């Protein structure tokens, strides 16, 4: 089912785009297909963001519930779900959306991994295979070989995307002094690792990937950066409207 309903249709879309793009550039086809898929998935990303914003807005009320019903887990759970119902928040929507996106992202990775090779047996009858695929992108990047500059770009764009999507976290304390601040210290440590360690790890992963995959990754990151900037400048709530967002 994965091959029939996801990877094969995406592969055909990639070959179709490479055929109609001047010069039969597989690199430009990868960029175009990545942007198309990201635009299709954009409503899901936005829905997930609205859920995150709503969950963040009700944190003070959740804290009150936890303190009021401390030691009463069942009542605490009931009051929490009642709070979510009051503000029309589905706490599981983010997980559902991630599960919807994951197969698509895996299929894209699978397609781009072998994108420079033509497989006529996978093409639909109405998709014309180009006589030759141009693996040169902008005349300087050869998708047939690995690229160190592209790997660095993946890490850099990932760092920018994470920095925009996550609030700044100070460097974690070397020693946790009490149980009370454990949660904050742990959150700070995880945020610091995501911001600085994750991009470096991604660079090393990208060094072992085909350039076609890293082009997809860079394009996807740049799209996410643009999305984060648009959210910050056009979807910021005014101080007079601080009630939780309805995600329905």
């Amino acid at each position: 089912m994965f091959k029939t309903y996801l990877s094969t249709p995406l592969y055909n879309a990639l070959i179709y785009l490479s055929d109609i793009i001047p010069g039969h550039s597989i690199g430009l086809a990868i960029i175009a297909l990545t942007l198309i898929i990201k635009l299709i998935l954009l409503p899901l990303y936005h829905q997930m963001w609205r859920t995150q914003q709503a969950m963040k807005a009700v944190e003070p009320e959740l804290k009150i519930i936890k303190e009021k019903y401390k030691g009463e887990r069942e009542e605490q759970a009931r009051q929490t779900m009642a709070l979510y119902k009051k503000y029309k928040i589905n706490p599981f929507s983010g997980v559902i959306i991630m599960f919807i996106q994951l197969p698509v992202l895996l299929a894209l990775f699978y397609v781009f991994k072998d994108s420079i090779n033509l497989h006529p047996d996978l093409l639909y009858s109405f998709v014309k295979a180009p006589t030759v695929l141009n693996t040169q992108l902008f005349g300087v990047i050869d998708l047939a070989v690995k690229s160190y500059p592209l790997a660095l770009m993946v890490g850099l764009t990932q760092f920018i995307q994470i920095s925009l999507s996550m609030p700044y976290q100070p460097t974690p304390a070397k020693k946790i002094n009490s149980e009370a601040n454990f949660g904050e210290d742990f959150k700070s440590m995880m945020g610091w690792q995501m911001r600085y360690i994750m991009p470096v790890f991604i660079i090393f992963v990208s060094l072992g990937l085909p350039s076609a995959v890293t082009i997809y990754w860079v394009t996807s990151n740049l799209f996410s950066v643009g999305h984060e900037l648009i959210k910050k400048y056009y979807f910021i709530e005014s101080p007079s409207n601080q009630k939780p967002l309805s995600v329905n």
Side-chain angles (χ1 to χ4, degrees):
M1 289 181 64
F2 177 82
K3 185 175 181 180
T4 302
Y5 296 108
L6 281 175
S7 65
T8 299
L10 288 173
Y11 179 77
N12 277 266
L14 180 66
I15 297 302
Y16 173 78
L17 288 170
S18 65
D19 182 54
I20 64 174
I21 288 175
H24 303 305
S25 172
I26 191 67
L28 291 178
I30 289 172
I31 292 173
L33 182 58
T34 302
L35 293 176
I36 291 170
I37 297 300
K38 295 289 282 187
L39 286 170
I40 292 173
L41 294 177
L42 189 58
L44 294 180
Y45 284 109
H46 190 65
Q47 177 75 1
M48 187 165 61
W49 173 75
R50 288 181 65 86
T51 299
Q52 291 170 347
Q53 292 296 104
M55 295 281 286
K56 186 178 179 180
V58 300
E59 280 182 359
E61 295 182 61
L62 281 173
K63 187 176 180 180
I64 292 173
I65 290 174
K66 288 179 180 179
E67 291 177 355
K68 185 176 180 180
Y69 299 100
K70 189 175 181 180
E72 303 176 49
R73 292 190 177 182
E74 290 185 8
E75 185 59 28
Q76 190 179 112
R78 263 195 299 270
Q79 293 295 328
T80 299
M81 294 309 296
L83 180 67
Y84 289 152
K85 186 176 180 181
K86 175 184 175 181
Y87 292 114
K88 299 179 181 180
I89 299 172
N90 180 0
F92 306 107
S93 64
V95 177
I96 295 170
I97 291 170
M98 284 301 294
F99 272 111
I100 292 173
Q101 296 176 55
L102 189 58
V104 177
L105 298 177
L106 288 175
L108 282 170
F109 178 86
Y110 180 81
V111 168
F112 293 148
K113 180 173 64 71
D114 199 30
S115 59
I116 62 173
N117 297 316
L118 275 173
H119 299 282
D121 55 309
L122 296 178
L123 296 179
Y124 299 142
S125 58
F126 55 85
V127 175
K128 178 186 175 184
T131 54
V132 63
L133 288 175
N134 179 9
T135 62
Q136 295 290 324
L137 179 62
F138 308 129
V140 294
I141 300 174
D142 187 359
L143 301 187
V145 298
K146 297 173 184 178
S147 171
Y148 294 131
L150 274 180
L152 292 174
M153 282 189 65
V154 172
L156 177 61
T157 54
Q158 190 70 54
F159 172 77
I160 296 172
Q161 192 269 326
I162 292 174
S163 298
L164 288 171
S165 61
M166 294 180 63
Y168 173 75
Q169 294 288 344
T171 304
K174 291 184 178 180
K175 184 177 180 181
I176 298 174
N177 297 317
S178 68
E179 213 172 289
N181 65 1
F182 175 79
E184 286 300 318
D185 285 347
F186 181 77
K187 182 179 178 181
S188 175
M189 180 181 65
M190 290 300 295
W192 187 85
Q193 289 182 349
M194 283 292 294
R195 184 186 296 264
Y196 299 108
I197 304 301
M198 182 63 74
V200 175
F201 173 75
I202 286 174
I203 288 174
F204 283 103
V205 172
S206 302
L207 290 173
L209 296 175
S211 293
V213 177
T214 53
I215 283 289
Y216 151 69
W217 209 337
V218 169
T219 305
S220 179
N221 286 344
L222 289 175
F223 183 94
S224 297
V225 167
H227 186 218
E228 291 295 336
L229 290 173
I230 290 173
K231 286 192 304 183
K232 285 184 179 294
Y233 286 99
Y234 293 99
F235 292 95
I236 296 177
E237 290 185 284
S238 65
S240 60
N241 184 25
Q242 293 298 319
K243 65 180 181 178
L245 294 166
S246 171
V247 295
N248 292 334

